[in-house]
Amino acid sequence: MDRRAFVSGLAGILCAGVLTAAEAVTEPAQPSFISDIDSVFVFSGKFIQGADDVYTIGEDAQTYTAERSISPFYIAKCETSYRLWYAVRKKAEAIGYLFYNPGQEGSMGRRGRAPTDANKFQPVTNISWYDAVVWCNALSEITGRTPCYTYEGEVLRDSGDTVACDLAVCDWKADGFRLPSEAEWEYAARRTQTGFQRGDLVSGAVDSSSEQGSFAWYDANSSGTRLVATAGGDPAVPGSGNMNGLGLYDMSGNVLEFCWDWFDVYQTVSTAYYGGPSEGAERVCRGGSWSPYASYLFAGDRYAYDPNEAYNYMGFRLVTTAQPETIF
């Protein structure tokens, strides 16, 4: 695959307006090796000829597998930091958004408190799937993009309205921010510049001899969350950790990441924008975490949780669909 397929940086898609949201907290700018939502452009060379990329989801990890087609999208290099979560939440609440859970800095933070200098780059935790999708809509609206999640034509703005959230639909072609589909998440966890890594390895591992701790914070090397993008690097320096083959941090470990899909066995489908079954009882989470309650770290491992559950080992990362005019 051409190296241009792995475009990092804000690229005009995950940038404008987000820094404005952070500035709304009146927090002084501080140097960092990462931006709050620095991103990677996930792009298949096949797309240029009008076809989507195809891979086998669950390969080497699940009893049942299926082919999935993927269209170009952007995915955040890092899990959503508490600094970004807090800045957007505060601005969103001022324009009428409601969040049942205010979130906290990592596993040990205090709920709803302002970010601290030491831990502002901890991943946000103790939020539910409902909180995450509403927050994605808020970020979209704040940055002048089209929110992806609606119910009966109305944008989701209240994470406490669980019925509307459960019955909501996703506009996969909108330019707003959203959770990844499960197929997008696993693609990003396993894709390399030459193909795909196995699903029974931590994301970023070359083979079974790779040290899990080089790519993941988990129960054997951490008793809580760590600053994002530090696994295998300096725990005090975000961006010092090891990336996976696509250039992403923490796709295994640190916090379990929400996906859009309802959980079910994989079905054969033909669409590139497949977001799982239309109904269910639990939503998919991926990647494992620092906690022994979610310690399966492999790129192909799956979890299922009630979308109302919120724990200090759960978080998410942002995705947005690549618009035709941004594909080169």
Side-chain angles (χ1 to χ4, degrees), residues 129-130 132-134 136-137 148-151 156 164-172 177-185 257-263 273-280 282-286 305 307 316-317 319:
W129 182 93
Y130 297 130
V133 295
V134 169
C136 287
N137 273 355
C148 296
Y149 302 127
T150 60
Y151 171 61
L156 297 184
C165 291
D166 283 338
L167 298 175
V169 295
C170 177
D171 181 354
W172 298 100
F177 299 95
R178 57 179 175 82
L179 299 179
S181 68
E182 184 179 18
E184 288 172 330
W185 192 97
E257 300 182 12
F258 297 127
C259 294
W260 165 256
D261 309 42
W262 290 109
F263 187 90
Y273 295 109
Y274 178 67
S278 59
E279 58 186 25
E282 298 173 309
R283 297 283 182 171
V284 173
C285 296
R286 288 299 209 106
Y305 281 88
F316 69 103
R317 76 177 65 220
V319 161

Side-chain angles (χ1 to χ4, degrees), residues 12-14 74 136 139-141 143-148 171-178 319-326:
I13 290 293
L14 298 177
Y74 289 86
C136 287
L139 177 58
S140 300
E141 187 170 336
T143 56
R145 299 187 177 276
T146 302
C148 296
D171 181 354
W172 298 100
K173 295 186 178 181
D175 65 354
F177 299 95
R178 57 179 175 82
V319 161
T320 190
T321 300
Q323 301 302 305
E325 63 272 18
T326 69

Side-chain angles (χ1 to χ4, degrees), residues 43-296:
F43 175 86
S44 165
K46 295 180 183 178
F47 183 84
I48 311 176
Q49 283 124 42
D52 300 305
D53 207 0
V54 178
Y55 81 107
T56 301
I57 193 169
E59 192 172 35
D60 306 313
Q62 301 295 321
T63 302
Y64 298 99
T65 63
E67 284 195 346
R68 288 288 181 267
S69 296
I70 298 295
S71 288
F73 63 97
Y74 289 86
I75 184 168
K77 283 187 175 182
C78 306
E79 294 161 336
T80 302
S81 70
Y82 184 69
R83 180 178 83 156
L84 179 62
W85 166 273
Y86 182 88
V88 173
R89 178 176 68 80
K90 297 297 284 186
K91 192 171 184 69
E93 289 173 339
I95 58 174
Y97 278 83
L98 299 172
F99 298 91
Y100 189 79
N101 297 293
Q104 67 182 50
E105 281 182 330
S107 55
M108 300 298 289
R110 303 188 68 176
R111 286 168 58 84
R113 296 297 180 89
T116 64
D117 285 341
N119 290 308
K120 62 188 176 183
F121 285 116
Q122 285 274 349
V124 62
T125 69
N126 255 332
I127 57 169
S128 70
W129 182 93
Y130 297 130
D131 297 311
V133 295
V134 169
W135 186 92
C136 287
N137 273 355
L139 177 58
S140 300
E141 187 170 336
I142 288 166
T143 56
R145 299 187 177 276
T146 302
C148 296
Y149 302 127
T150 60
Y151 171 61
E152 295 187 337
E154 297 294 324
V155 173
L156 297 184
R157 291 190 173 90
D158 180 2
S159 69
D161 188 352
T162 59
V163 172
C165 291
D166 283 338
L167 298 175
V169 295
C170 177
D171 181 354
W172 298 100
K173 295 186 178 181
D175 65 354
F177 299 95
R178 57 179 175 82
L179 299 179
S181 68
E182 184 179 18
E184 288 172 330
W185 192 97
E186 185 171 322
Y187 185 98
R190 293 177 51 208
R191 195 68 167 97
T192 69
Q193 293 194 31
T194 58
F196 291 90
Q197 69 159 75
R198 292 178 60 90
D200 57 356
L201 300 171
V202 297
S203 182
V206 176
D207 54 40
S208 59
S209 67
S210 299
E211 289 290 334
Q212 291 190 154
S214 295
F215 298 96
W217 294 116
Y218 64 116
D219 59 348
N221 66 3
S222 185
S223 58
T225 56
R226 300 298 188 97
L227 303 184
V228 298
T230 59
D234 184 339
V237 181
S240 67
N242 292 322
M243 304 182 213
N244 74 356
L246 194 62
L248 308 176
Y249 300 96
D250 300 319
M251 288 296 281
S252 289
N254 212 25
V255 292
L256 198 59
E257 300 182 12
F258 297 127
C259 294
W260 165 256
D261 309 42
W262 290 109
F263 187 90
D264 200 357
V265 296
Y266 295 131
Q267 305 292 329
T268 300
V269 294
S270 58
T271 176
Y273 295 109
Y274 178 67
S278 59
E279 58 186 25
E282 298 173 309
R283 297 283 182 171
V284 173
C285 296
R286 288 299 209 106
S289 76
W290 68 270
S291 171
Y293 294 109
S295 58
Y296 296 109

